[in-house]
Short mmCIF file of all heavy atoms in Angstrom, two decimals:
data_model
loop_
_atom_site.label_atom_id
_atom_site.label_comp_id
_atom_site.label_asym_id
_atom_site.label_seq_id
_atom_site.Cartn_x
_atom_site.Cartn_y
_atom_site.Cartn_z
N VAL A 754 108.15 113.44 97.16
CA VAL A 754 107.68 114.80 97.27
C VAL A 754 106.20 114.83 97.45
O VAL A 754 105.39 114.44 96.59
CB VAL A 754 108.04 115.62 96.00
CG1 VAL A 754 107.58 117.03 96.11
CG2 VAL A 754 109.53 115.58 95.73
N VAL A 773 106.91 93.68 79.42
CA VAL A 773 107.35 93.85 78.03
C VAL A 773 108.68 93.16 77.85
O VAL A 773 108.96 92.40 76.91
CB VAL A 773 107.44 95.29 77.61
CG1 VAL A 773 108.20 95.48 76.32
CG2 VAL A 773 106.03 95.86 77.51
N ALA A 799 93.93 82.63 59.90
CA ALA A 799 94.35 83.92 60.43
C ALA A 799 93.54 84.32 61.66
O ALA A 799 93.99 84.96 62.58
CB ALA A 799 94.27 84.99 59.38
#
Side-chain angles (χ1 to χ4, degrees):
V754 181
V773 168

